[in-house]
Structure formats: C-alpha cells, structure tokens
Amino acid sequence: MADGQSGLQDGVVPFLRFGPSPNRVTHEGYQRWRQTRGTFIPAPRLSLDQYRAMSPRKRGLHDLHRAATHVNLRMQETPMSAQVTALMRSRIQNNALKQTPGTRDGLMINGGGYQGKTETACETAAEFEDFWRDLHHQLNPNAIPGTRDLFLPVAYCQTPVKATPKGLCEAILDFYGAPHAKTLRGLIRNVRESLHAHCTTALLMDDITRLKMHREDDQDTLDLIRDLMSLNVTLILIGVNIPGSGLLREGRHDPRTGQMVMSPAKRGKSYNDEAATQTERRFDMINLDPFHYDTPRGIATWVNHLAGVEDQLRLFRAAPGMLIDGTMPEYLFRRTEGIVGLLKRLIEDGCTKAMESGQENLTINLLDEIPINLGNIPGRDAASGEIPVLKDEAKAAPSKRRKRGRNTVFDDQGGRPAADV
C-alpha cells in the first residue's frame, strides 16, 4: 500500500492540529481561523481489503485520520442558513458602500442554542472579508503614512455573562489587543479609535441575549451598542430568543422571509419601551430555525441534509442510505429535534463507538446507547438559553442507557487488532 493511498507520508501527520484551536475573540485567532477554514483534508475512502493490507502502523494512523474526519465535518448550507447569509451579506456590503455619515442599520440573528448561528455568521463575515481584502489589495485604506495599523475588516467578540458597558468595551479592545483606559469615557474612545484605525467594517457581537434588560448596566450596555452604529460599522448581534430578551418589542415570525415582524408598542408593559422601539428601528432580525419534520418539504430537506452528512463519513461497513433509509431520518430528528449542532454531536459520538466496537456502521441500536448530555459546557450560559434541553433526552433515564463500547486496544506499532474489523 503506497503512502499516497493512506493520505500520509513517512513521519508526517498532516491532519493533526498542533497547538490550541484558533480563538476568534482575538484578531490573531480570528485571522488564523479565516485563513485555514476549509483546509482540512478528510481521510481517503478505502475498502476493508485495502485497509487490512496496510501495515499495523498505517492502519492506526488511518483510523486516527478517520476519527479526525468525523469530528471535522464540513458545515453544510441549509435553506434556513442561506436566508441568514443572503441578508447578512447584503447588509454588510451595502453599509460598506455608503459614503455619507450617519447610523448604519444593523442585523440581529436569532435562534436556539447549537443551531449554527455563530458559525453561519462568522463564515458569511469571512467570505465578505476575503472579498474586501482582495478589493483593497490587502492594504488598510485608512492607514496613516509611517504607521502599520492592521487591516481588520471584521471584528468578533462575545458579550460578557454579566454585561456592563465597561466589560463590553474591554471585550472589543481585547480583539484588537488594544490597551484599556481606566475610565468608561476612555474605553469608549479607545473602541472608536480601534474600529477606525483598523478600518473595521463589520462588528459581530455574540451571545447578545446575555443582556437581560432588567438591570441598569444592561440598558447602559445596549445604549453603548446603539452608539457604536454611528461609527460606519455594521453591527451583527447574535443571540438566543432575542424577542423574549427585552432587546426588542414582542414580535411574530414571518415564515416567508425568516424575519421578525414587530408588534405595535404596548405602553407600560416594557421596562424601557422607548429604548426597545429605538433598537427595533435600527436593526432587522432574522431567525435561524432548526429543521422541521411536519411537511413533505421539511422532511425532504432534512433527508437531504442527512445525505450530505452520510457522504462525509468513513465507516467501512456503512451501506448506502445508512442515514436516510427506513426510520433512521425520523429517529435522528426525534433525538436531535432538527438542531444541526446536536445532530453533529450524535453522529460524532456514534462514529467513535462504531469504530471502537468494530461495528463500522451506524444503526438505531448503536445510537440508542449514546446520550446527548450537554451538561455545563464552558463558555455557554445556560440561563440565557445557550444550552438546549431535549425532551427525548430528558425522558431517558440514565439506567436505560447502556454503557459505551469498549475502547480500542492498539498493538505495539499503533495498529488495530484484526478482530475489530
């Protein structure tokens, strides 16, 4: 077996990442992510006979490459994410082309946890940045002669769990690596200078619904966000259940456009109704919904997505239609409620178990042994709805879940015992 067939070279493991994953809350991490996204090369497709003909070491490395493939499934566009991408792309580009001063309209991306809001927004912003950088020949058009200000068309930050105007300013400045002033006035000035000096066109603020709007600090933070819209930058706010957060007045979802239609103001009902009205006028909001399984079109869209996932898997005994035939689509929908992030989690763990056990395919019986237990995930605020609660998983008692399969045992040379496959 030639090394080229296994995707490996002597002494080189190209699919492994060295060091921590890029952290997008700093400009270094964001640029590293932008420049390397989509570069992962999945494991080659080998037959079981080809695999068995490899040396033990190469079999072990190929298994590692397969495992890396299953946890690095490419992001697939859905009809829901396509709506978000189209509106966000046009909003950023239109604002970037405006030459008159004044407030730039923003965009809110709403949806439940694990529905791909952040990845969809970041990917759309990265595509715009690729285009914008190429348009400007990778040079900062605002650069002052004799200086070396970085060209950062897109900035990304996460809203602090307990948001304050000072905390939000510091989160933005941390992206640029800029110093923190001691006073709020100084921090706001530093933010303004950083956005201008780096020619930032779009500012993404994630987890915006950590603003609860029942505290004075939260309202002051929202006032600061609205103020930033006058800096010729497009604000993209990403959050869970934005209509229920108090950032906007009560609204209803328009299924034709995916956007929210705001109801007339109800005097005396909102803590700060005038502020909510002002925010509503400056932002459009669009939903990133999960899949649905209650119409023929919804079912067909879900099955098509599963087919795309199945095509990426590298299990030796995976028959065509493994994820889309029989009752499997309905089962996967019931387990994940159509949430793409949870489907990815279940498939990842299922592939690991299928490889460890030697089964090498996904079945309902195998997936039944795998709970989707999100627990307390670092960086996610459960109180803000960032961790979804699945009805099916809540009903399943831990005692009904069988133990995970045994771990694979490799020999001295890193190979898997032949009995496993």
Side-chain angles (χ1 to χ4, degrees):
M1 175 62 64
D3 285 336
Q5 289 180 276
S6 64
L8 304 171
Q9 298 177 353
D10 290 336
V12 178
V13 187
F15 55 84
L16 292 184
R17 184 189 72 243
F18 295 95
S21 58
N23 188 349
R24 288 183 295 214
V25 298
T26 67
H27 73 81
E28 296 96 339
Y30 184 89
Q31 292 303 318
R32 182 183 167 201
W33 167 80
R34 182 184 65 83
Q35 294 165 4
T36 61
R37 76 191 198 284
T39 59
F40 177 80
I41 300 176
R45 300 179 188 274
L46 300 181
S47 69
L48 194 51
D49 288 340
Q50 288 175 313
Y51 173 79
R52 285 171 172 164
M54 300 168 74
S55 68
R57 180 179 184 275
K58 289 180 180 178
R59 286 202 304 268
L61 288 174
H62 183 68
D63 286 336
L64 192 61
H65 197 174
R66 289 198 296 149
T69 299
H70 297 151
V71 299
N72 289 285
L73 301 178
R74 70 177 182 274
M75 187 175 71
Q76 299 182 96
E77 185 178 71
T78 68
M80 297 77 73
S81 67
Q83 286 183 322
V84 174
T85 296
L87 181 58
M88 179 175 165
R89 182 189 296 123
S90 64
R91 180 58 47 84
I92 295 176
Q93 179 173 297
N94 288 346
N95 285 344
L97 294 175
K98 289 181 179 179
Q99 299 185 15
T100 57
T103 300
R104 299 294 186 254
D105 292 336
L107 180 66
M108 290 184 174
I109 301 176
N110 177 62
Y114 279 77
Q115 286 178 193
K117 302 181 301 299
T118 297
E119 294 309 314
T120 299
C122 285
E123 179 62 30
T124 303
E127 290 176 356
F128 168 80
E129 179 167 342
D130 292 342
F131 162 74
W132 205 243
R133 283 179 173 276
D134 183 66
L135 196 65
H136 290 88
H137 306 289
Q138 306 298 321
L139 300 176
N140 186 344
N142 286 345
I144 300 173
T147 67
R148 298 182 61 185
D149 284 329
L150 294 172
F151 184 25
L152 301 174
V154 174
Y156 171 86
C157 72
Q158 292 178 318
T159 307
V161 173
K162 292 186 177 181
T164 64
K166 180 178 179 181
L168 183 61
C169 284
E170 290 175 344
I172 297 172
L173 293 172
D174 286 343
F175 177 85
Y176 295 103
H180 297 179
K182 294 182 178 180
T183 65
L184 178 58
R185 184 183 296 273
L187 286 168
I188 295 175
R189 182 174 61 251
N190 288 354
V191 168
R192 289 174 178 270
E193 291 173 351
S194 293
L195 290 169
H196 176 74
H198 297 88
C199 202
T200 299
T201 301
L203 173 60
L204 278 62
M205 295 186 182
D206 209 348
D207 304 318
I208 194 63
T209 40
R210 291 176 178 178
L211 296 177
K212 305 304 181 185
M213 302 312 298
H214 64 280
R215 300 183 308 136
E216 185 177 352
D217 280 341
D218 291 345
Q219 295 185 54
D220 290 343
T221 304
L222 182 59
D223 289 340
L224 170 63
I225 291 173
R226 285 194 293 263
D227 186 55
L228 294 177
M229 299 177 74
S230 64
L231 302 181
N232 296 334
V233 60
T234 302
L235 293 187
I236 308 295
L237 310 185
I238 307 165
V240 175
N241 188 22
I242 291 176
S245 68
L247 293 174
L248 293 170
R249 293 199 305 261
E250 181 182 355
R252 61 177 176 84
H253 178 243
D254 185 345
R256 296 174 303 171
T257 63
Q259 294 182 240
M260 298 294 295
V261 178
M262 297 302 146
S263 303
K266 297 179 180 180
R267 294 186 180 276
K269 297 292 184 180
S270 173
Y271 186 86
N272 191 351
D273 192 66
E274 291 184 2
T277 304
Q278 190 177 25
T279 307
E280 169 199 329
R281 291 171 179 171
R282 295 184 178 183
F283 288 91
D284 284 329
M285 187 169 72
I286 187 166
N287 271 0
L288 183 56
D289 294 320
F291 285 92
H292 297 283
Y293 206 79
D294 52 0
T295 65
R297 182 177 181 181
I299 294 173
T301 302
W302 173 247
V303 171
N304 183 63
H305 185 79
L306 294 179
V309 173
E310 180 182 318
D311 185 62
Q312 300 183 61
L313 305 185
R314 300 294 190 265
L315 297 176
F316 290 128
R317 295 192 175 98
M322 178 177 64
L323 299 184
I324 63 176
D325 287 346
T327 60
M328 183 63 89
E330 183 177 354
Y331 169 82
L332 292 173
F333 185 86
R334 177 173 58 81
R335 288 292 307 276
T336 65
E337 298 180 8
I339 300 173
V340 292
L342 300 186
L343 173 68
K344 184 174 182 290
R345 175 76 171 268
L346 181 61
I347 296 299
E348 284 180 11
D349 290 348
C351 287
T352 299
K353 185 172 183 61
M355 291 175 60
E356 289 177 346
S357 65
Q359 180 172 323
E360 291 291 340
N361 70 344
L362 298 180
T363 64
I364 290 177
N365 287 339
L366 181 143
L367 294 174
D368 259 345
E369 300 180 15
I370 300 173
I372 305 178
N373 183 14
L374 301 177
N376 294 320
I377 300 176
R380 293 199 180 242
D381 181 19
S384 298
E386 295 166 18
I387 301 177
V389 178
L390 297 177
K391 297 177 182 178
D392 183 67
E393 299 301 312
K395 292 179 181 177
S399 60
K400 294 182 180 180
R401 298 291 188 192
R402 286 173 286 174
K403 292 183 178 180
R404 299 287 297 274
R406 63 179 173 83
N407 290 330
T408 301
V409 179
F410 293 93
D411 62 20
D412 295 351
Q413 296 175 295
R416 178 197 296 270
D420 282 353
V421 290

